[in-house]
Amino acid sequence: MGEHTTRTAAIASTGIRVLSIIFLRWVALPPGLPIIYTLFAIYVPTFISSYLTEPKYALVDEVDVVVKEGILNEDEIVDGTTDEAVVVEKVDVKETTAVVPKPLSPIGTLLKGIPSPNSLLLSLLTFLINVACVAMVTDMVYSPRWYYPSHDLSFARVGYVSDTEAKLLIREPDQSKMPITVQVHIKDAKPPFDNPLWQTAGGVQWTTNETDYTAVVTIPLSHSKQRVYEWTTSNNHSGEFTAAPKAGAMPELFDGKFTFLSTSCIVPRLPYNPLDHPLAFPGMKHLAKVLPNLGAQFMLFLGDFIYIEVPKRFGDSVENYRQKYRQVYASPDWPAVGQNLSWIHVLDDHEISNDWDSNSTGVYHTAVDPWHHYQTEANPPEAKRAGTQGLLSRKGATYFAFTQGPASFFMLDTRSYRSKNVEPFDSPDKTMLGETQLEDFLEWLRRPEPKGVKWKVVASSVPFTKNWRVNTKDTWGGFLSERRKILEAMWDAGSFGTGVVVLSGDRHEFGATAFPPPKDGKWSESATVHEFSASPLNQFYSPIGTYKQTDDEDVELKYLNGGNSKFGVITIEKLAEGEQSSLKYTVYIDGVERWDTIVLSPTASQQPAKVGGGSFWDRFRGL
């Protein structure tokens, strides 16, 4: 019985320690939490029982063996009868039983987690190791909820910034601070053309629980040139932002380079450090270190801003979802990356539920309530409606489009309209975007861009390539028929002289992929589409590679799986000749630059047809 109890304690102890290390340092899988607690519930009584019942002494049998030699024919030798001695051995065996203290085994006790009956100190130490494991797991899971629900969070962040306006998201639950006024002025103003005085740009009269006490202030930017603006609010928040360059124009700042960032996926306090704040994001610290030197216009965040079920799902109420957003914005690491940088967002599954493919049913509307208040309201405009020649927006759309400097952007919603993932990968009726979004997206791809816009950038929360071999059904690899339609439209855009780049996340790895047009097709090789998939900003990574090229349709350029923090820096420059543009992509892993490449915009091999026919308005807008 004692042996069985000790063995059980050892097995439970090993499970606690191994799973705790995985949970705290690698991936906080929700099923791991109840398993760890169950093992601890087994471990405690078996450990105590083993300590109390395991004998302190051992019964040891001691055997003394004495061998004596003698001459059997000694008398005959003395008599001279013989001179040959007969030697015999006499064995004397003496057996005794002794009770002795069991020897100490410090290493075995500490490693196995089993008690040492003769050492209370060693037993307590090994027991406390397991207590510490469970305590750290509990700290990681429950401390944010218990101690940082962030109900009283007051903050302001910069959302979408164009050349004519900037959106400022404000959260203020304290109504005594109302009304809130927002003031701006040009930083480092240069008289007489710049006005250095602070000017009131707008304000908030009140906030209510209906929007979780959030509101958006739209700040008009009247200066004709690109400038850096400082902003401040009457409830004691401040920061700065950079106005965007006009469509088709290169920036007047940052040496004429147009730079922005992309990444996705954040979970606080991973890898776990007991000294970190419960809402700490180590990946944000990596980003904050390099951000001042990048001259970035904005962060294009590609989904999974929250993980509703990681490390534990506490429920499906609106408050549970809202609390997750508040906790990100309440993080001590947020101001360094979000106070002076525009962040714009797309939706992915963990804002709703893992691998979400149920459209707007179930928990969807509850989940997107805070996403709209905290993200959509400060996002770029809704995408243009197909058939309106790019003049009318798709009201109520959860996908967005805008143009800045040398690039036009389309931010896809890959969750709200998709078919079931389990449907056949090549089904012609299977869709990720839904009929309406696909129609708007294809028209955007085919639409000619203003002069100077050399790139179309597609923001997809999930990878476009089918090279990821784990859970391919959740990526574009599971929607091959729709993907083919989109690729052909992208190659068309390349033939008209506009390069297409897809930015994605979700996989917690980095992969760069090229999609060359078919060799026997109508498109030239310069129309090749490129995808750069970088994530997470702060989450687990796969130690085992899951990306593999299997054909010539999706060509691997680079694959890097390691690192808890990854983000991409995209820099577009105008080449000396002026007709072509270069796009440099650099991936940072755990704060260190790891790989980069440069892609050139294609040269036009054919002239685009006017989408919906030419019109006065097309000519007026320079199309």
Side-chain angles (χ1 to χ4, degrees):
M1 178 67 181
E3 241 179 76
H4 174 75
T5 304
T6 302
R7 189 181 302 112
T8 302
I11 294 171
S13 174
T14 301
I16 290 168
R17 296 178 183 188
V18 171
L19 289 177
S20 294
I21 291 172
I22 293 173
F23 193 90
L24 295 169
R25 299 295 299 175
W26 180 41
V27 53
L29 288 174
L33 185 63
I35 295 174
I36 291 170
Y37 286 158
T38 300
L39 288 173
F40 190 66
I42 295 171
Y43 174 72
V44 172
T46 54
F47 180 92
I48 295 173
S49 176
S50 178
Y51 180 76
L52 295 177
T53 60
E54 186 76 14
K56 297 182 179 182
Y57 298 92
L59 193 63
V60 179
D61 288 336
E62 296 182 355
V63 180
D64 287 335
V65 180
V66 179
V67 180
K68 297 181 179 179
E69 290 185 351
I71 299 175
L72 184 62
N73 57 347
E74 184 178 355
D75 293 339
E76 295 177 359
I77 294 174
V78 173
D79 294 343
T81 308
T82 179
D83 57 0
E84 185 175 341
V86 178
V87 179
V88 296
E89 291 183 347
K90 182 180 179 181
V91 178
D92 187 10
V93 179
K94 185 178 181 181
E95 183 177 359
T96 59
T97 300
V99 177
V100 298
K102 282 188 174 181
L104 296 178
S105 178
I107 295 177
T109 298
L110 295 176
L111 288 180
K112 294 179 181 178
I114 57 176
S116 174
N118 286 334
S119 175
L120 179 60
L121 177 61
L122 284 176
S123 299
L124 282 174
L125 284 176
T126 197
F127 183 81
L128 289 175
I129 289 174
N130 289 333
V131 170
C133 288
V134 175
M136 287 188 289
V137 168
T138 302
D139 176 38
M140 181 184 186
V141 174
Y142 290 99
S143 284
R145 187 172 180 84
W146 289 343
Y147 306 118
Y148 298 94
S150 304
H151 293 298
D152 58 350
L153 170 66
S154 173
F155 82 99
R157 77 166 181 90
V158 181
Y160 173 66
V161 179
S162 70
D163 60 308
T164 60
E165 66 179 27
K167 293 182 178 181
L168 191 68
L169 176 74
I170 298 173
R171 184 182 194 271
E172 181 54 76
D174 185 356
Q175 298 306 297
S176 68
K177 302 286 182 66
M178 301 297 169
I180 297 172
T181 57
V182 177
Q183 291 188 315
V184 297
H185 81 149
I186 297 174
K187 183 180 180 181
D188 300 326
K190 300 174 182 177
F193 301 106
D194 295 346
N195 183 358
L197 300 178
W198 286 92
Q199 296 179 315
T200 300
V204 178
Q205 294 301 311
W206 64 81
T207 58
T208 68
N209 186 53
E210 185 178 349
T211 62
D212 203 21
Y213 303 100
T214 63
V216 170
V217 176
T218 300
I219 303 171
L221 307 178
S222 57
H223 203 289
S224 60
K225 300 293 185 180
Q226 187 184 30
R227 292 291 184 266
V228 177
Y229 294 83
E230 291 181 314
W231 57 269
T232 183
T233 68
S234 59
N235 61 335
N236 202 31
H237 300 295
S238 61
E240 64 182 53
F241 60 83
T242 303
K246 290 179 171 60
M250 296 303 293
E252 300 171 44
L253 307 174
F254 312 121
D255 299 323
K257 298 177 182 178
F258 182 74
T259 299
F260 61 98
L261 316 175
S262 75
T263 187
S264 72
C265 308
I266 49 174
V267 164
R269 218 176 182 184
L270 190 74
Y272 176 84
N273 183 335
L275 301 180
D276 281 347
H277 190 282
L279 302 180
F281 290 91
M284 289 186 182
K285 291 184 175 73
H286 293 312
L287 175 59
K289 288 179 182 178
V290 301
L291 193 57
N293 301 318
L294 297 178
Q297 190 70 41
F298 57 84
M299 165 63 80
L300 182 55
F301 198 83
L302 300 168
D304 294 342
F305 189 76
I306 68 164
Y307 276 70
I308 191 61
E309 67 282 88
V310 177
K312 175 181 171 61
R313 193 181 197 115
F314 290 100
D316 293 333
S317 69
V318 156
E319 173 54 26
N320 284 318
Y321 281 92
R322 288 180 173 184
Q323 184 180 95
K324 286 281 189 175
Y325 285 89
R326 295 197 301 265
Q327 287 170 338
V328 176
Y329 289 122
S331 169
D333 299 316
W334 168 256
V337 299
Q339 205 77 357
N340 303 322
L341 178 68
S342 162
W343 282 56
I344 55 179
H345 296 265
V346 299
L347 180 70
D348 202 19
D349 57 335
H350 290 286
E351 281 96 346
I352 311 168
S353 191
N354 187 41
D355 290 349
W356 184 258
D357 61 356
S358 297
N359 298 306
S360 57
T361 64
V363 75
Y364 176 85
H365 288 290
T366 299
V368 299
D369 167 271
W371 187 72
H372 285 308
H373 300 322
Y374 283 96
Q375 319 293 54
T376 300
E377 292 299 322
N379 253 3
E382 294 108 333
K384 302 301 182 181
R385 195 170 71 198
T388 66
Q389 300 179 28
L391 294 176
L392 299 179
S393 296
R394 178 73 67 180
K395 294 301 180 184
T398 52
Y399 47 95
F400 312 91
F402 64 99
T403 302
Q404 285 187 7
S408 179
F409 297 81
F410 199 103
M411 301 164 62
L412 296 171
D413 179 352
T414 66
R415 291 295 169 183
S416 300
Y417 315 102
R418 70 159 64 195
S419 304
K420 290 293 184 182
N421 288 340
V422 295
E423 292 181 22
F425 287 11
D426 57 356
S427 170
D429 299 322
K430 191 177 184 183
T431 177
M432 183 180 287
L433 302 182
E435 182 180 356
T436 300
Q437 182 180 193
L438 178 62
E439 184 182 6
D440 294 345
F441 179 44
L442 290 177
E443 182 164 308
W444 173 81
L445 283 170
R446 295 170 182 142
R447 185 181 303 135
E449 297 293 347
K451 184 179 180 180
V453 176
K454 299 297 184 180
W455 299 95
K456 289 181 182 284
V457 179
V458 180
S460 173
S461 66
V462 295
F464 198 67
T465 180
K466 60 181 184 294
N467 285 351
W468 261 289
R469 300 300 164 181
V470 175
N471 202 25
T472 309
K473 65 182 181 181
D474 193 54
T475 72
W476 281 99
F479 298 76
L480 295 177
S481 179
E482 186 172 66
R483 190 184 89 133
R484 181 67 184 192
K485 293 178 188 176
I486 293 170
L487 267 175
E488 291 179 357
M490 290 176 171
W491 292 327
D492 283 342
S495 297
F496 302 146
T498 306
V500 179
V501 170
V502 180
L503 300 176
S504 64
D506 184 67
R507 303 303 297 193
H508 303 192
E509 301 167 89
F510 170 75
T513 310
F515 305 90
K519 294 181 180 179
D520 56 351
K522 64 178 181 178
W523 305 278
S524 67
E525 188 178 351
S526 66
T528 296
V529 176
H530 294 83
E531 177 185 28
F532 302 101
S533 185
S535 65
L537 181 58
N538 200 86
Q539 243 288 29
F540 76 90
Y541 67 90
S542 173
I544 302 172
T546 65
Y547 178 105
K548 184 179 180 181
Q549 178 183 338
T550 59
D551 55 39
D552 294 332
E553 294 179 354
D554 297 30
V555 179
E556 176 185 345
L557 301 178
K558 188 67 175 180
Y559 171 62
L560 299 166
N561 61 305
N564 291 102
S565 176
K566 306 179 186 72
F567 59 88
V569 178
I570 303 92
T571 299
I572 300 174
E573 294 186 68
K574 187 176 182 180
L575 299 183
E577 299 79 14
E579 292 303 316
Q580 251 188 322
S581 173
S582 67
L583 184 149
K584 181 180 180 181
Y585 185 93
T586 306
V587 62
Y588 284 78
I589 300 180
D590 293 335
V592 178
E593 183 179 333
R594 289 290 304 276
W595 181 80
D596 64 68
T597 189
I598 295 177
V599 181
L600 299 180
S601 63
T603 54
S605 59
Q606 53 182 301
Q607 291 300 313
K610 297 294 182 182
V611 178
S615 70
F616 165 77
W617 289 108
D618 290 330
R619 294 190 294 274
F620 179 77
R621 292 183 300 134
L623 297 179

